[in-house]
Amino acid sequence: METFVHAREPEQVLSEFFRILKPGGSIAMHEYWHLDDDELPPGTPTDLIESSKRIDGESAMPTDRRLRKGVLQQMLMDQGFVEVVEKDLSRNIAPTLLLFYVLGYIPYLIICFFGLQAWFVNTEAGVQGYRGLKRHLWGYSAMKAKKPLKKFDDFGEDVRSRRNEDRQPPSMRPRPS
């Protein structure tokens, strides 16, 4: 599934996924992620930053601005999913984005010249998507998660009520001193 970025209330969507899955059932998601504005490296072209915001707005993708690396993984765990695994597929989509860049570059220049980006948002996304991927400003991940077989763990604690720090993905856990 690659539609989660269009959700207005992502936590509610994930809660419904959790509710309708049978115990032991799995969910697979493929989504883009991006660096937050304060994580962007110095010298990031401003047109890429503005394009990213415009694409999110014009493409009705309200959740996209929230999807930084590791955020979807944490959101799944917050809803009670277990065995949450993220695999970065950014390198796999690079050839497709390069094709979009090559095919869309000249039309994109014409679109920009006339200020029509809002009407040709997919062209802008194809061209700028490749430029941003090359600079590691965003990427693409596959996410897999399972609904636990039982509602309670071995200690009688509700699986969905565990403290977040007990369920954080390895990349977000505090490092031992």
Side-chain angles (χ1 to χ4, degrees):
M1 170 176 49
E2 188 189 281
T3 58
F4 188 66
V5 294
H6 299 285
R8 286 195 169 101
E9 297 176 18
E11 287 82 6
Q12 183 179 353
V13 171
L14 292 176
S15 177
E16 284 299 302
F17 289 162
F18 189 88
R19 184 184 68 79
I20 64 172
L21 270 176
K22 67 180 183 178
S26 296
I27 184 171
M29 302 173 78
H30 295 82
E31 293 295 342
Y32 287 92
W33 55 265
H34 61 85
L35 297 179
D36 208 5
D37 289 347
D38 61 346
E39 299 171 317
L40 295 172
T44 299
T46 55
D47 69 311
L48 279 176
I49 299 167
E50 295 307 313
S51 282
S52 176
K53 292 176 183 175
R54 186 173 33 255
I55 291 164
D56 287 346
E58 298 295 335
S59 298
M61 298 190 306
T63 299
D64 187 58
R65 295 303 316 154
R66 293 177 57 188
L67 293 182
R68 294 176 311 282
K69 189 116 174 108
V71 168
L72 180 55
Q73 193 174 15
Q74 185 63 51
M75 290 171 81
L76 286 161
M77 288 186 293
D78 288 346
Q79 292 302 321
F81 287 97
V82 295
E83 299 179 37
V84 181
V85 178
E86 178 179 14
K87 183 175 180 182
D88 190 338
L89 299 177
S90 301
R91 290 182 60 178
N92 300 53
I93 66 161
T96 302
L97 285 179
L98 175 60
L99 178 64
F100 292 163
Y101 178 83
V102 169
L103 293 175
Y105 188 71
I106 299 299
Y108 177 67
L109 292 177
I110 295 167
I111 289 163
C112 288
F113 179 77
F114 290 108
L116 301 173
Q117 294 94 318
W119 288 273
F120 296 92
V121 71
N122 287 336
T123 305
E124 182 173 23
V127 171
Q128 300 292 53
Y130 179 71
R131 290 182 62 216
L133 185 69
K134 278 189 351 181
R135 290 175 170 83
H136 307 288
L137 303 179
W138 43 77
Y140 192 72
S141 290
M143 198 71 60
K144 183 179 170 190
K146 282 189 172 188
K147 182 175 180 175
L149 287 171
K150 51 189 175 179
K151 183 175 179 177
F152 298 97
D153 65 14
D154 295 333
F155 302 102
E157 183 181 342
D158 187 335
V159 173
R160 291 184 73 175
S161 68
R162 289 193 180 138
R163 295 187 342 252
N164 282 342
E165 58 267 18
D166 295 337
R167 298 181 314 161
Q168 286 183 330
S171 63
M172 297 180 77
R173 288 185 193 143
R175 296 182 190 257
S177 330

